[in-house]
């Protein structure tokens, strides 16, 4: 790994920050994404960059990466003014970024991906050196067990994220930027990534860390900068802050409660799963969900929780077992069949199979149920708008921006579209995989509240999540998975949050 | 690599920030360049604006335009382009000539050719829906069609004889028939794509097939419909051409594949699918016809004309890409 030279030697005189941003502005059409932002980063520190969805965090990251030219403002590295646009200049200035969206090439091998975009890659011509180098980088992020020749498309989301970080390590960078690197990961992997990042900072680099997971901030960051509506608040040392204080800074108000109350699910089960065997499961799974109930399934990545949800959604046909909806057996051999039965499904990876990136929000919202809006197979634009508006409003998506491509929205707003669109299909059961990935605290509380409302109106909801706090806070019933097996299933009253975490880790000693 | 995901090949199906926006912006660029071209043409070519010449341009654009518009749904749905355009349209043309020659009534021959082409198209659609590479499937279908027609006609010219329809190459209310068909067909396919459920689903499948699948949208159905529409356009083009000339042979319509793909690209329809509208393909065909016409009036050699056409396609593709990148960057 190429460490050392990158950071420590050039730490700069005391008082000269590694990176200083003054009066930076960037406007997209009518939206002022950055409004005279000031920002400072010292060598050897981890600076957390926080803010609501759409606050401008990723826009700052893109400016620093040289992907976006700012309208106004100045950037200095080690006291010298620099122009970071376009990205080649940013790279030359020593800035390296893990973007919020993955940028690996799925069809290429890990080793090839690790040298992508690095102008001088002489190793590329010598496969064994390419592999050796890849192995070194993989080891540094705890992926030593992977064969560098594996194609990236075969990796899990967590592994991809680690490969993405490994790629940064291969470069001499003075400033490392991570835009929500853990959004897709479970506790164990997060721990691993945080350790790697801490080490990179200790070696003298400046690290900017964007996240919505506040617990990480207090474990990792030295200081915190909060963005609100495109403006920056002065940086504060983490030691002087607490979670509630940070949230108040982000929202400009107090959050109130994160989780809504719990329901009183009653009556007969809506969804009954009997001895289900499906890809990813090592033992048959049986469970029930009643109307008005939120069932939370949790486990580490690959534990099987997400696989149950995918199977119920019709994406991975069951090998054995029975699934009943309102007492009637249903076939789950295709997604269309499951959808017709009233099973809505929101995937964990919105960019892959949750949204249509370049299409307008309106089309994204109506996609699964456009047939309901149409007459004789024809869509009346006015009718579509009328149908889409309440769905957007219900999930706090700006109804004036229905014509905007969803890809131009901030990550959290994309997620609201990905979840919210299913309302239009009036489903009986809502299946959600990692429903609040990359969603800010405010919007997260919003999504939880909406889900609870839907439940109170009689829907049954199944949430698979590797975020144990989320599952504990939201669910009426909690099921834990370990290595493809449902290990425990009981009402929330029978759990404590610690018990959930212990059960998820199972007999293993905590990492 | 710090390039945004949009520019990585990885983005492929998943995300193309700016793709839709570029497609939205492109018509303006296309219209502006058309205006510039027309003015330039007027300046250097005195005869350009005569009614006869303009009519000639549209006539030339019509056949290419009809097929390009018909192929738009295939491209929009993410199945790229057909490489068997020439052979398919030729088969329709020869088929129509033969049926008329046998003494079939016009309407029956028209119906039979359309039905036959749709059947051939559906077979390709089924194969593509089943996962075969669309480019290879259409190329193979083209080869089979060409081989069959060559064999059956012995490579000779087939003629309609005295039964040749009176409307062939004719006019309706002073408008040449091909142009009328182009306008109506473009309107119909554009409406189908923008206002019907299947049209919307076609574009969504092209924008992101995985998300479409999760949304319960059938890739197979979309592909079949796209190939059916495409086949209707091929049949119309073949019939119009056959009726105008009264004869056909296996080597008719060479170069149509290239012209149609060029019209699609110059029109700014995203080659990976998911963004654009069929009328843009018609606009692309007209734009190319204007350019060829200018060159003819200014005595360019056939080779020179082809080279310029190629250059126009490259320029258009580069320009679209630039617009897309700019938009993606914001
Ligand atoms: N290419 C673009 N075109 C139009 N608007 C954009 C574009 N990119 C970003 N925006 C808008 O700029 C604002 C800031 O977006 P940004 O992505 O920086 O937010 P963020 O703080 O990273 O949010 P999140 O936490 O959800 O990722 C948002 O309102 C977003 O919709
Ligand atoms: Mg962001």
């Amino acid at each position: 790994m190429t460490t050392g030279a990158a950071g420590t030697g050039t730490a700069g005189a005391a008082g000269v920050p590694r990176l200083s941003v003054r009066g930076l502005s960037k406007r997209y059409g009518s939206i002022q994404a950055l409004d005279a932002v000031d920002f400072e980063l010292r060598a050897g520190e981890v600076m957390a960059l926080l803010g609501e969805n759409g606050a401008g965090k990723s826009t700052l990251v893109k400016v620093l990466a040289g992907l976006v030219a700012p309208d106004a403002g100045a950037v200095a590295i080690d006291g010298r003014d620099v122009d970071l646009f376009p990205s080649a200049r940013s790279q030359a200035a020593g800035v390296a970024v893990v973007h919020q969206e993955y940028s690996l090439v799925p069809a290429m091998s890990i080793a090839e991906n690790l040298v992508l975009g690095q102008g001088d890659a002489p190793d590329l011509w010598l496969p064994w050196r390419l592999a050796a180098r890849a192995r070194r980088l993989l080891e540094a992020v705890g992926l030593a067990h992977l064969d560098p020749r594996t194609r990236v498309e075969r990796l899990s989301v967590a592994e991809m994220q680690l490969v993405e970080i490994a790629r940064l390590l291969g470069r001499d960078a003075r400033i490392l930027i991570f835009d929500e690197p853990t959004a897709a990961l479970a506790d164990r992997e997060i721990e691993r990534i945080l350790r790697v990042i801490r080490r990179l900072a200790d070696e003298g680099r400046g690290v900017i860390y964007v996240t919505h997971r506040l617990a990480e901030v207090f474990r990792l960051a030295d200081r915190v900068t909060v963005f609100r509506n495109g403006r920056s608040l002065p940086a504060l040392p983490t030691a002087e802050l607490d979670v509630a204080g940070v949230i108040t800074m982000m929202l400009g108000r107090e959050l109130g409660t994160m989780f809504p109350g719990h329901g009183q699910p009653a009556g007969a089960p809506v969804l009954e799963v009997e001895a289900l065997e499906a890809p990813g499961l090592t033992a048959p799974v049986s469970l029930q969900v009643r109307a008005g109930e939120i069932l939370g399934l949790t486990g580490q990545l690959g534990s099987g929780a997400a696989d149950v949800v995918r199977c119920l959604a019709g994406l991975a046909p069951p090998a054995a077992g029975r699934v009943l909806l309102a007492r009637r057996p249903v076939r789950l051999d295709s997604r269309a069949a499951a959808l017709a039965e009233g099973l809505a499904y929101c995937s964990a990876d919105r960019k892959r199979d949750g949204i249509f990136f370049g299409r307008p929000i309106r089309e994204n919202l109506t996609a699964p149920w456009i047939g309901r809006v149409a007459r004789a197979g024809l869509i009346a634009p006015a009718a579509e708008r009328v149908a889409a508006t309440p769905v957007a409003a219900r999930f706090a998506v700006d109804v004036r921006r229905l014509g905007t491509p969803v890809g131009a929205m901030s990550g959290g707003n994309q997620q609201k579209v990905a979840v919210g669109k299913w309302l239009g299909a009036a489903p009986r059961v809502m299946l959600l995989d990692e429903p609040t990935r990359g969603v800010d605290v405010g919007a997260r509380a919003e999504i939880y509240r909406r889900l609870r409302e839907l439940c109170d109106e009689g829907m049954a909801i199944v949430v698979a999540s590797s975020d144990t706090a989320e599952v504990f806070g939201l669910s009426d019933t909690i099921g834990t998975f370990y290595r493809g097996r449902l290990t425990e299933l009981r009402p929330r009253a029978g759990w404590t949050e610690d018990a959930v975490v212990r059960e998820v880790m199972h007999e293993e000693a905590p990492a | 690599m710090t390039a945004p995901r949009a520019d990585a090949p990885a983005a492929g199906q998943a995300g193309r920030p700016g793709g839709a926006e570029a497609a939205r912006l492109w018509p303006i660029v296309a219209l502006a360049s058309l205006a510039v071209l027309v003015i330039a043409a007027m300046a250097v070519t005195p005869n350009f604006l005569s009614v006869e010449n303009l009519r000639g341009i549209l006539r030339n654009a019509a056949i290419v335009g009809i097929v390009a518009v018909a192929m738009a749904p295939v491209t929009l749905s993410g199945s790229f382009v057909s490489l068997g355009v020439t052979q398919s349209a030729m088969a329709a043309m020869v088929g129509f000539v033969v049926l008329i020659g046998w003494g079939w009534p016009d309407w029956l021959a028209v119906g039979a050719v359309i039905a036959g082409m749709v059947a051939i198209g559906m077979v390709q659609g089924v194969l593509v829906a089943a996962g075969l590479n669309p480019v290879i499937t259409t190329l193979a279908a083209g080869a089979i069609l060409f081989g069959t027609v060559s064999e059956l006609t012995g490579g000779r010219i087939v003629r309609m004889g005295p039964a040749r329809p009176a409307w062939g190459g004719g006019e309706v209310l002073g408008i040449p028939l091909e142009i009328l068909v182009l306008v109506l067909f473009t309107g119909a396919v554009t409406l189908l794509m923008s206002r019907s459920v299947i049209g919307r689903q076609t574009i969504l499948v092209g924008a992101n097939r995985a998300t479409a699948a999760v949304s319960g949208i059938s890739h197979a159905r979309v592909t079949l419909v796209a190939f059916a529409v495409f086949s209707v356009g091929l049949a119309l083009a073949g019939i119009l051409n056959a009726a105008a000339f009264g004869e056909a042979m296996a080597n008719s319509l060479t170069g149509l594949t290239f012209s149609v793909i060029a019209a699609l690209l110059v029109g700014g329809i995203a080659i990976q699918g998911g963004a654009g509208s069929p009328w843009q393909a018609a606009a692309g065909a007209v734009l190319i016809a204007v350019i060829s016409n200018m060159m003819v009036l200014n005595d360019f050699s056939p080779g020179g004309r082809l080279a310029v056409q190629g250059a126009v396609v490259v320029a258009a593709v580069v320009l679209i890409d630039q617009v897309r990148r700019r938009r993606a960057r914001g």
Side-chain angles (χ1 to χ4, degrees), chain B residues 81-143:
Chain B
V81 290
S82 166
L83 288 188
V85 174
T86 294
Q87 297 83 344
S88 306
M90 176 277 295
M93 191 172 167
V94 170
F96 188 67
V97 170
V98 168
L99 292 182
I100 293 293
W102 285 350
W104 285 32
D106 296 358
W107 63 269
L108 194 59
V110 169
V113 169
I114 292 178
M117 290 306 291
V118 169
I120 294 171
M122 296 294 258
V123 171
Q124 298 175 58
V126 167
L127 293 176
V128 172
L132 241 66
N133 181 318
V135 170
I136 294 173
T137 307
T138 53
L139 194 62

Side-chain angles (χ1 to χ4, degrees), chain A residues 60-79:
Chain A
L60 175 66
V61 171
K62 286 179 196 155
V63 168
L64 295 177
L67 297 173
V68 164
D71 302 332
V75 178
I77 293 181
D78 291 330

